[in-house]
Amino acid sequence: MRQLGFFVDSAACSGCKACAMACRDRNNLPPGVRWRRVYEVGGGGWRREGEAWVPEIAVYNLSIACNHCEKPLCLDGCPARAIAKREDGIVVIDPAKCLGCRYCEWACPYGAPQFDEAAGVMTKCDLCAGLIERGGRPACVAACPMRALDFGEIEELRAKYGTTAEAHPLPKAEITEPALVIRPHRDAAKAKTAAALIKNREEV
Amino acid sequence: MPERSAFPTPPAGLEGAHLVRSGCPAHNCGGRCLLHVWVRDGKILRIDADDRPGDEPSDPQLRACIRGRAYRYRQNHKDRLRYPMKRIGKRGEAKFTRISWEEAFGTMAERIVSVRDAYGPTSIFVPYGTGSYNLTNGRWTAERLLNLVGGSLGYYNSYSWACISAATPTVFGTNITGNQRQDWLNAKLILMWSWNPAEMRDGTNSEYFIRKARERGARVVCLDPRMTMSAVALADEWIPVRPGTDAALMSAMAYVMITEGLVDRAFIRSHCLGFDASQMPAGAESEESYEDYILGRRDGIPKTPGWAEPISAMPRATIARLAREYATIKPAVLYQGYGMQRRAYGEQAVRAGCVLAAITGNVGIPGGWAGGIALQAPDGGPRWEILPLGENPVTAKIPSFLWSEAVLRGRDMGPADGVVGADRLGTDIKLIWSVASNILINQHGNVNRSARILADESRVEFLAVQDNFMTPTARFADLLLPACTQFETWGVQDGWKYGEEVILAPKIVEPAFESKSDYAICAGIAAKLGVEPAYTEGRDERGWVEWAMDHYRKTRFPDMPTLDELEASNSGMYVRPVTEPAVAFADFRRDPQAHPLPTPSGKIEIFSKRLFDLKRPDEIPAVPKYIREWESPFGPEAAAFPLQVIGHHALSRVHSIHDNVPELLEAFPQRIFMNPLDADPRGITDGDPVRVWNDRGALILPVRLTSRVMPGVLAIPQGAWWTPDRAGTDRRGNVNVLTSERWTPYAFGNAQHTIMAQAAKAGKPGRRR
C-alpha cells in the first residue's frame, strides 16, 4: 500500500504561518478551524552574568497538519465510521456520515481533526488530495517561503530527510505511526531540560 | 509537477473561474511577490502561489507571506469605504454623510485653489505614506496633479530608514553599497544585526537566500533585543543587545580588533580616511581619529568590552568573541537592519557598522558587504517611483517626519529644522491631502499629540483622506475619498530594495461600490481644475502601465516584453535571472585611484570632515560614537519609566495595513510581549490585561510572557489602529501612544523606538490560556 505524508523542516521554520493561511484560503476554512497549525515551542530563562543578560532558552516552530497516520486513532474512535484511510494512505472524513460527536478530536494526539461549528461536522487536512491528483502540491507546501515543507511517499521522504517523526512536545511516534518526517531544530535537543511548552496556545 | 499553463483549468470547487497572475498588492513590506488569483463573476475566490518551475537562487519563486496569502479577506472586506463622504461632526469624531463624486471633486478643487491663493502652494502637503506601491497609483498621483496647479510642499527621507539613508553617504558617498543577494551564498559569516527578514520581508526571498548561504557553510549570527523569527529559523546563534546600544557594542568590537591586531591595515591605508592620526583630512589633522576614540586617548575611556558590557547587556567575552569572528572569518556580511536606526542617535549605529566593514576589509569583495543602506549594485536596484510627477514649482522640502512641526510653526522653519530648497517655509501647512497613508494619526510619533494638532480646525483648514477603509487617519478627514484596491485597477511593481523583476498588477475585478483608483480620483479633480488633458495625457491606468513598461525597457530591462505580450502570456511578471551577482565597490576595491568613491576624499570616510564642520560634536561626531539616548535605562527618566519599548514589525500587518483583517489577527494576535523577569515583580501572569504608559499616553492590551524578548524590554508590534477609550487609553495596542515626535540630529529622522515606559496589571486578571 502507498502511504503519502509530510516533511517539516523545523530547523528552517520561522513560524510565519504562510502555510496555515494558504491552507485556510484553499479550503475556505472558517475562523478557528485550523487544518494546519504552527506551534511555537519555547522554554528556558535568563541568567545574569556580570552586568549582562544571557539567554538560556530553547525556541522552535513545528508546522503540523494531519499526519495521515498508519495507525490513525481518529479512525478507530469514530462511531459513525465516517473516517477512512485511502489507498494512498490519506485519511479522510466523509461529512455525510459524520455525526459531529468529536470523538476523533479527542482521539487524535496531534489535534488534527477540527470541528466546524457551522456545518456541525469534523473536518481535517486531506493533503490537498484534489491538487496532488492533478500533479500539484499541497497548498501549504507550495506556500512556504522558507521551502521548509515537503510531501510525498513517506518512504521517499524518509530516504531523503531521515526517519525522525517526533519532536518535543509532540506525542511518541509509536502511538499512531504518523506519516511524518521532522528535521529537528537545534534547540529541540534541550527542549525538555528547558521545560519547553507550546507558547502560542491561543493561536493553535 | 504539471505543465505550467498560461490559463489552467480551474480545480474542483472553482469551476468557471479563471486565473490571473498578479503582483501581491504591495504596500510597504519589503516583499514583491507573485499571486495567482482565481476569479469568478467579479469576485476573488482563492489565491495560489507562484508556480514557476526551477525555483533556483538565480530566479527563485516569489512566494507570498501570510499577508499576501490572506489578501482576499481584505479585498472582500465588509468595511470597505463605499462612497465619497464629507464630515458633519467635529474633526476626528468620524461623523460623515454621503456625497456625490461630483461634489467631492468640486470641493477638492475649490479648496486647493482657495488655500493656495490665501497661503501659497507651500501650505499644501501630501504626506509621506506607503499604502500603495502600485507605481501608477498612490500618493504620486496627487503630487502629479498639484504640480500642474502651483505645486505643494515637498518632503524627503522616510519613516523607514531616514538615518541609514542619510548616514551611509557620509561614509561611502552613496547609498548603493549592497551586493546582489545571490552573493550572500559566497559569505562565510553573516551577522544579521537588528535585521529580521523573516518578519519584515526585506525583499522577497531574503530569508531564503540566508538559508541557502547557511547550507553552503556560512555561520549566521543574529543580534537583536528580540529572538525574532529570523533568529529562530535563520541563525546559528542569537545574541541579545539592549536597544539603542549597538554603537557601543560596535565600538568595543573595534577595540578588540585594533588591540589584537585584527584590522586590515593594508586596506585601511589604501582605501580609508580618518582611521588614525596618520590619515586625518586637511583642516582636521589634530582632531580625534577613530582609533583615538576607540582607545580612549582623548576622553580617557577606552571602549573595551568591559566598558560595553553594562551598556549593551552583552557579556564582555561574547563581545570579544564576536569581534574576533567578524575580523577573521572572511568574507563576512554585517547586514544592518533598520530598527536600530529608528532611534535617538540612529546615525551612529549606521556609521559604526559601515566602519566595521571597512576596517575588516569586507568592502568590495564577493561574500563581503559594505554595510549602510545597501541599495543594490550596480544601478541601485528597483525604482519606487515611476509615474512622471512633472516639475514642482515649490522647491522647499521638509523631512518627512517633521510635518507636524510644519503644521504648528512652518512659517518659521528653515534649514535648522531640516528644510531644504528654501531659507524659510514662510507658511504653516494649511491643507493636507493624505493619499494611501495612515501616517497622520496612526504611524507618527505621539498619537495623542497628532490628534490634538489635527483636531484644531484653525491650523490645518482642510484635510482630505483617500483610502480603502476608515483608518484612524480617515476618521479625521473633512473629505473622504474612497479609493479602490489594487486588484481593481491597473498597476505595476518593481522589486522593493532588491529585485530583478517587474511585476504586473492587472485590473482583476471592478472597483467595489463607488470607489475609484487614486489616478481616476485625481483625474476627476484635474477636470474641475481645468488641467485634465495635461494630467492624463490621454492615458487611462493601463495606459500609464504601458508607459511604465516602456520606461523600464529603456532603462533597466531592455529585453522585457511589451505590456500586451506580458498580458497575453498571463505570466504576471518579467524577471532577469541573476547568475553573476554584482558586488558594490568592486572597482574601487581594485583601484581606488581610478575609481574613487563619491566622497569628498574619494575614500571611505571613517572621519567625516563634512560632519566635523557642522560643529555639533556632542550629537553629530565626526567619527561614529556611542551616545546615550535621550530616553534610556541609564537616565533619570528610568526611575518612573524603567522599561524600554520597541515597536517591531509583525506579520499580521504591513505597518497599519491589514489591522482590520480578523484572519490575520487570529494568526498573530496583537499582544504586549514581556519577559517573565519583568512580569513577576509586577504580579503579571500570562494573558493578563496590562497597562503600559508614559508621559505621552497609555495603552491596555493582553500580555504574552515570553523569554524571546530580553529583560527590561517590552515589544509591542507597531501598526495597530489607534482606538482610544473614553479616558484616552488606547485599547488596541498602538505603540505610538507611547512614542515621541522628537527627531534625530543629523537625518531629521524618526526615533520612534527610543522610548521608556512603565507597565502594570490592568483591572481584573485575564483568563489564562
Side-chain angles (χ1 to χ4, degrees), chain B residues 330-387:
Chain B
K330 289 182 182 173
V333 171
L334 192 171
Y335 193 108
Q336 302 178 299
Y338 319 118
M340 69 174 169
Q341 53 92 58
R342 285 190 288 267
R343 304 198 61 94
Y345 301 100
E347 298 95 346
Q348 299 310 311
V350 174
R351 298 194 73 238
C354 295
V355 167
L356 285 186
I359 66 175
T360 54
N362 274 303
V363 176
I365 55 172
W369 192 257
I373 193 169
L375 302 186
Q376 178 181 319
D379 61 357
R383 297 179 58 101
W384 301 311
E385 301 186 346
I386 196 133
L387 188 72

Side-chain angles (χ1 to χ4, degrees), chain A residues 9 14 17 24-26 28 32 34 40 44 46 51-53 134-135 144 146-147 185-186 202-203, chain B residues 2 9 46-47 55 61 63 72-73 205 211 229 232 235 309 313 663 666-667 671 675 704 707-708:
Chain A
D9 187 344
S14 71
K17 296 191 179 178
R24 162 177 266 194
D25 181 55
R26 179 183 149 71
N28 289 314
R34 297 155 183 166
E40 177 194 335
W46 289 69
E51 294 187 73
W53 281 111
R134 287 156 45 112
C144 179
M146 287 297 293
R147 284 76 168 170
H185 189 275
R186 60 167 189 274
E202 63 182 319
E203 299 166 19
Chain B
T9 314
R46 183 186 295 177
I47 289 171
D55 195 29
Q61 291 176 346
R63 298 186 180 185
R72 73 162 150 132
Y73 305 111
N205 280 318
R211 177 182 181 172
M229 287 185 179
V232 173
E309 177 182 293
E663 289 79 1
E666 183 186 325
R671 295 288 178 262
N675 191 295
R704 174 89 55 89
S707 287
R708 291 177 67 171

